Amino acid sequence: MQSKIRRKVILLHTIVILLGLGIFAYSLPGFPAVSLAVIGLFAAAVTSSRLLDIQLPQGGRLNIDTAVILASILLFPLPDTLVITILGMFASMLIRQVKLKFAATLYPLSLKIITVFISTNIFYALGGKPGKIEPLLGIISLLLLCGVYSVIDLGFDQLTIAVNRGTRYMRGLVSSVRFLGPIYLSLSSLGILLSIMYKGMGYWGMLLFFLPLMVTRISFKSFLDIRKIYRKTIEALSNAIEAQNSNRSGHGKRVANYSVDIAKEIGVRGRELELIGYAALLHDIGMLGVDEDSLDHLLEQVSAQSGEAPHALIGAEVVEQVDFLRDAADMVRTHHYPIDRLKRPDDIPLGARIINVASRFDKLTKTDMLDERLTAYQAVSRIKKEQGMRFDPKVVRALITTLRKQGKLMEYVK
């Protein structure tokens, strides 16, 4: 499996690098159309904006160079824009002291070359002209340029993730567009603003441009920081659930970590991935107040085997009371449902199917009864016996891949 993914990664890198270098060589004649000082200024702006990137909660970073690159497309011919982009990206790599390995350096540069080339040519084909915005047709071409550039940029990022992880492409792309679409819209608007400011004010326009760019960055970072606070609050609730039983300590957090990693393997991104993490942390919130030694708890365990777990129903009602968690309530409600209970496994939310597998794996490997505690290999083997009945085979395969990548499952599991 890993060798197959590696071959795909090598093939993707080879195709992208050859295509990127070919496009650059094809487009270079005619450079420079504007002064080298202007090219250097915009390349420095690309570098500065890339150094202001934002760490995303699901991993990876969001570069805010989109605004400067779109402004370059609107202001300058294609060869100049490509040189500005390459110089800016390369300089940011040097400043960050990134190891400039051949493939690791040329691959992201080539992806950006292809993105700029396709977007610019669509802009030209629709009547757009560098340095001039025509009424009506020009506005339409400008808006399409922003949309096409954003989708291609996100699409290439997701393609890289999908090939590296062997996950589904379209699901991840849709999640990325939903999550990052608003920030790309803001950056596109700033790119249009920069082109207007530069044409009217020259170098002063470039300096003033960084004020709204910084405001946009700070606003989005503040939004992500609030999300982090949400997660810390939810983790505190998860700890409260486990406080009544020391044997369950850390269960919620471990299940959440497994669930997020499994979801990433399947190709989930953005808001859906975030909700799965929240639902996993709170999947047992309905257990608050249930006495572990009571008859009610024994009845709870029996009913959970059929999917009708009272604590899951209670937990879902609790989660539904919180606006930003409302979409996670159904995952909590159905996380004990065996997939053969319904006509189609997809009738059970993907997050619930993931949490079901992750929770079972954690319980098998972390039970307080040492004589019943299983190794990762034994736990996966037991879970595989119930796939297609209790567990979703797709999720089980993603669990196995995740454990192998984490070095927890060295043996081959059929």
Side-chain angles (χ1 to χ4, degrees):
M1 182 68 176
Q2 292 300 315
S3 61
K4 185 178 180 180
I5 292 176
R6 181 171 176 77
R7 286 196 299 270
K8 288 183 177 180
V9 170
I10 293 173
L11 179 62
L12 176 64
H13 281 210
T14 302
I15 292 173
V16 167
I17 290 173
L18 290 176
L19 187 57
L21 292 176
I23 288 173
F24 183 68
Y26 170 78
S27 304
L28 199 57
F31 171 82
V34 298
S35 70
L36 294 178
V38 172
I39 290 173
L41 176 66
F42 272 79
V46 171
T47 301
S48 301
S49 59
R50 289 186 69 84
L51 294 176
L52 295 171
D53 58 5
I54 303 170
Q55 179 71 45
L56 295 174
Q58 290 90 20
R61 309 188 75 87
L62 172 65
N63 291 308
I64 59 174
D65 58 355
T66 297
V68 182
I69 294 174
L70 283 173
S72 301
I73 294 173
L74 293 172
L75 290 168
F76 312 125
L78 177 59
D80 292 27
T81 302
L82 289 176
V83 172
I84 287 169
T85 303
I86 292 170
L87 289 177
M89 291 182 64
F90 191 74
S92 67
M93 292 177 184
L94 290 176
I95 293 172
R96 287 189 181 280
Q97 298 181 338
V98 175
K99 293 182 179 179
L100 300 178
K101 295 182 180 180
F102 180 79
T105 302
L106 285 181
Y107 180 70
L109 289 174
S110 297
L111 283 179
K112 196 65 74 173
I113 288 172
I114 297 170
T115 301
V116 171
F117 179 80
I118 295 174
S119 303
T120 303
N121 278 283
I122 290 176
F123 175 60
Y124 292 166
L126 294 171
K129 297 179 182 178
K132 186 176 182 181
I133 302 297
E134 300 285 351
L136 187 59
L137 186 59
I139 298 296
I140 294 174
S141 63
L142 186 151
L143 294 175
L144 286 174
L145 165 65
C146 295
V148 168
Y149 180 93
S150 301
V151 172
I152 293 176
D153 202 39
L154 285 170
F156 277 141
D157 284 346
Q158 185 55 42
L159 178 63
T160 302
I161 293 171
V163 171
N164 284 333
R165 291 180 174 271
T167 56
R168 294 167 63 180
Y169 173 72
M170 284 306 301
R171 187 187 193 98
L173 177 59
V174 171
S175 296
S176 295
V177 171
R178 286 178 178 173
F179 183 64
L180 296 175
I183 186 66
Y184 267 85
L185 178 62
S186 299
L187 293 173
S188 299
S189 301
L190 288 176
I192 297 171
L193 177 63
L194 173 57
S195 65
I196 295 171
M197 292 173 67
Y198 181 78
K199 281 183 67 66
M201 304 174 64
Y203 297 147
W204 284 107
M206 176 66 78
L207 291 174
L208 292 174
F209 157 75
F210 274 92
L211 292 176
L213 183 65
M214 287 301 298
V215 170
T216 301
R217 180 188 183 275
I218 292 170
S219 299
F220 189 64
K221 189 175 184 303
S222 298
F223 168 75
L224 294 180
D225 288 342
I226 291 172
R227 294 282 179 169
K228 290 179 183 177
I229 294 173
Y230 286 166
R231 183 173 179 86
K232 293 295 183 183
T233 304
I234 292 170
E235 286 179 359
L237 285 172
S238 177
N239 292 336
I241 299 168
E242 296 160 7
Q244 64 181 4
N245 184 351
S246 59
N247 295 329
R248 295 174 59 85
S249 178
H251 173 70
K253 195 165 186 178
R254 290 193 301 270
V255 171
N257 290 337
Y258 284 132
S259 296
V260 168
D261 289 340
I262 291 169
K264 285 181 179 179
E265 284 297 328
I266 295 175
V268 180
R269 293 291 181 276
R271 173 66 173 162
E272 186 179 1
L273 182 63
E274 187 178 40
L275 285 173
I276 288 173
Y278 291 156
L281 279 169
L282 297 175
H283 72 283
D284 281 340
I285 193 172
M287 294 291 291
L288 279 174
V290 175
D291 183 357
E292 293 284 333
D293 298 323
S294 69
L295 176 61
D296 288 341
H297 179 61
L298 296 176
L299 294 174
E300 162 83 21
Q301 288 181 315
V302 172
S303 62
Q305 299 302 315
S306 65
E308 294 291 349
H311 83 270
L313 300 177
I314 295 170
E317 291 179 3
V318 172
V319 171
E320 279 179 332
Q321 305 307 309
V322 184
D323 285 343
F324 82 95
L325 290 177
R326 189 164 292 142
D327 291 337
D330 206 31
M331 300 182 200
V332 175
R333 180 180 295 106
T334 59
H335 78 270
H336 275 297
Y337 277 38
I339 66 166
D340 62 354
R341 175 192 172 105
L342 301 175
K343 293 181 179 179
R344 298 183 307 157
D346 288 346
D347 290 337
I348 304 172
L350 175 62
R353 286 176 272 147
I354 290 173
I355 294 169
N356 194 8
V357 171
S359 179
R360 180 61 174 160
F361 176 80
D362 186 68
K363 288 177 180 177
L364 289 173
T365 56
K366 296 295 182 180
T367 177
D368 58 311
M369 299 180 181
L370 294 179
D371 57 332
E372 295 183 10
R373 186 177 297 177
L374 305 181
T375 65
Y377 175 80
Q378 292 170 330
V380 169
S381 296
R382 181 171 296 186
I383 289 171
K384 281 179 68 67
K385 291 178 181 178
E386 295 184 88
Q387 67 178 353
M389 295 176 290
R390 182 175 177 184
F391 304 117
D392 184 344
K394 175 177 65 178
V395 176
V396 175
R397 289 194 298 269
L399 169 67
I400 293 171
T401 303
T402 297
L403 293 173
R404 283 175 177 160
K405 289 182 177 180
Q406 294 175 353
K408 298 178 181 178
L409 191 66
M410 306 304 294
E411 302 95 333
Y412 177 74
V413 180
K414 293 184 178 180

